[in-house]
Amino acid sequence: MRVHNFTGGPAALPEAVLQRASNELMDFRGMGASVMEISHRSAEFSRIAEDSEAALRRLMDIPDDYAVLFPQGGATGQFAAIVLNLVKSEAGEVPCYVDTGYWASRAVKEAKRYGEAVIVASSEAQGYREIPDPSTWNVPDNAAFLHVTLNETIGGVEFRDEPSSDVILVADASSNILSKAINVSRYGVIYAGAQKNLGPSGIAVTIVRKSLIGRGDRPVPTVLDYAALEAARSMANTPPVFAWYIAGLVFDWVESEGGVEVMAKRNARKAERLYGFLDENDLYQSKVAPQFRSRMNVPFNLQEESRTKAFLAAARDAGFIGLEGHRSVGGVRASLYNAIRQESVDALIDFLDEFAASAL
């Protein structure tokens, strides 16, 4: 029996995807071998790569002047890749960041391995419970790009309105890609680790405006080099074939369900229902400013922190997993990615209600 899986990542996958992969595991489309056992240079895997890119382009309405790459290294690899691929260091350019939480700060930390990195605005003083007002962003004239984290999985804040910038805009969309429409043309680069809304860990997606490829002036490791990856169709070395295959199945599933528009409506409904319950119950507390609350990751606390351990144990016994808050902040977190069904959210709310009643 499958549990209600609210894990932040690697996260739940659609059951239809798991079933299809299970059916093809021993015999991929009549080949007599699994997708993990065939050459990434074969016609069969080339078809997977081509079909997955085409599906993602349709789902996100990606313009033709953008390359779609499937690099290894997850989003963390892209923290370095964007600096090495985009910054003209000899011209004195610097990467710039809006600091909205744990993952934005991790991106800054990685950028500083290669030189200066500028934080143009931060909500750290507010406990990362909101997003700095764009009117306060102080972007310097020598900015190579401005980086934003569209959704913070740990703090639970999300850009409800897409940001804009006079310089190249780079977005980490790891935890809300395909959850709602993104205007790709607004960004120079959009990247996402797969293990939240796109598939299993081990692969990422990077969408980059072709005119930016080769912009940087420093040597780039081949596996992070946008030019090398585009030329090799993301196969500059042996790619994580199984992760790529599963991502393609996820894209097919999103299309079959009605696309990103349908996902956005479902996600809004799930989040509104859960936040609505939390706001009405005295035992639980959501600390994020309402106008910045993430639809994907809902962190909350029990009013009496001493009850958290008992709460999590009871949740596991009741068939819920992944509700532990991130180790850096503690508390509770429910992740509501595309694969999470409304029925699971409703079941969680029923459990929260029952636990609150038992705590009286």
Side-chain angles (χ1 to χ4, degrees):
M1 177 179 176
R2 286 181 62 76
V3 296
H4 298 290
N5 185 359
F6 291 94
T7 307
L13 288 165
E15 291 187 14
V17 168
L18 293 173
Q19 186 60 60
R20 182 173 170 187
S22 176
N23 292 341
E24 295 182 340
L25 187 61
M26 296 294 291
D27 183 5
F28 176 68
R29 302 176 188 177
M31 292 191 69
S34 78
V35 72
M36 294 175 284
E37 301 171 294
I38 63 174
S39 170
H40 61 293
R41 304 295 183 190
S42 66
E44 289 78 11
F45 191 80
S46 291
R47 193 169 302 115
I48 290 173
E50 292 165 2
D51 289 349
S52 60
E53 177 180 337
L56 186 62
R57 284 185 177 277
R58 291 192 298 270
L59 286 167
M60 296 185 67
D61 194 20
I62 299 172
D64 291 340
D65 61 335
Y66 282 74
V68 177
L69 311 175
F70 292 87
Q72 301 181 51
T76 300
Q78 293 305 296
F79 293 165
I82 56 175
V83 175
L84 295 173
N85 281 278
L86 299 181
V87 177
K88 295 179 179 179
S89 58
E90 292 184 2
E93 290 185 345
V94 293
C96 296
Y97 296 80
V98 180
D99 176 25
T100 50
Y102 182 90
W103 290 112
S105 62
R106 284 282 299 272
V108 173
K109 183 178 180 180
E110 187 69 15
K112 286 182 176 180
R113 293 167 61 90
Y114 304 99
E116 183 183 0
V118 175
I119 295 175
V120 305
S122 176
S123 57
E124 183 178 11
Q126 292 75 41
Y128 291 129
R129 295 172 184 169
E130 59 186 59
I131 289 173
D133 188 326
S135 67
T136 68
W137 297 0
N138 187 19
V139 183
D141 293 337
N142 62 335
F145 61 77
L146 178 62
H147 177 281
V148 292
T149 304
L150 294 182
N151 183 79
E152 288 280 0
T153 61
I154 294 171
V157 296
E158 181 177 17
F159 279 87
R160 292 300 184 91
D161 298 316
E162 289 191 75
S164 60
S165 174
D166 293 332
V167 301
I168 298 165
L169 194 59
V170 175
D172 178 353
S174 293
S175 50
N176 67 352
I177 192 169
L178 295 188
S179 72
K180 63 177 183 179
I182 294 176
N183 182 358
V184 175
S185 296
R186 182 172 293 200
Y187 303 88
V189 179
I190 299 170
Y191 67 88
Q195 66 273 15
K196 303 178 190 303
N197 254 343
L198 302 182
S201 60
I203 198 168
V205 167
T206 299
I207 303 163
V208 54
R209 190 180 298 131
K210 291 180 180 179
S211 62
L212 298 178
I213 294 175
R215 185 181 191 277
D217 58 11
R218 284 181 285 196
V220 187
T222 300
V223 293
L224 298 178
D225 186 343
Y226 294 161
L229 289 169
E230 182 192 28
R233 298 169 53 242
S234 299
M235 300 184 201
N237 65 336
T238 304
V241 292
F242 189 71
W244 198 338
Y245 156 71
I246 295 292
L249 297 188
V250 171
F251 302 161
D252 289 347
W253 174 78
V254 173
E255 281 199 298
S256 71
E257 292 291 300
V260 172
E261 182 178 353
V262 169
M263 294 295 117
K265 291 178 180 178
R266 290 180 183 176
N267 292 327
R269 185 164 57 247
K270 290 182 296 187
E272 288 169 7
R273 180 141 161 68
L274 181 53
Y275 282 120
F277 174 83
L278 294 173
D279 288 342
E280 293 173 359
N281 194 288
D282 292 337
L283 183 65
Y284 309 106
Q285 181 185 24
S286 170
K287 297 180 180 180
V288 177
Q291 67 269 35
F292 302 114
R293 286 175 170 176
S294 168
R295 299 160 306 114
M296 293 287 94
N297 308 99
V298 182
F300 59 95
N301 299 85
L302 277 70
Q303 294 286 6
E304 298 179 40
E305 287 292 340
S306 60
R307 294 183 181 272
T308 302
K309 185 175 180 180
F311 170 86
L312 293 171
R316 286 190 294 272
D317 290 343
F320 300 90
I321 66 170
L323 287 171
E324 297 83 0
H326 190 266
R327 62 186 181 276
S328 65
V329 295
V332 183
R333 176 179 60 173
S335 294
L336 310 180
Y337 302 124
N338 286 349
I340 303 301
R341 298 173 300 168
Q342 183 69 48
E343 291 83 355
S344 288
V345 178
D346 292 342
L348 175 61
I349 291 171
D350 288 343
F351 170 77
L352 292 169
D353 195 25
E354 292 169 6
F355 185 85
S358 70
L360 295 176

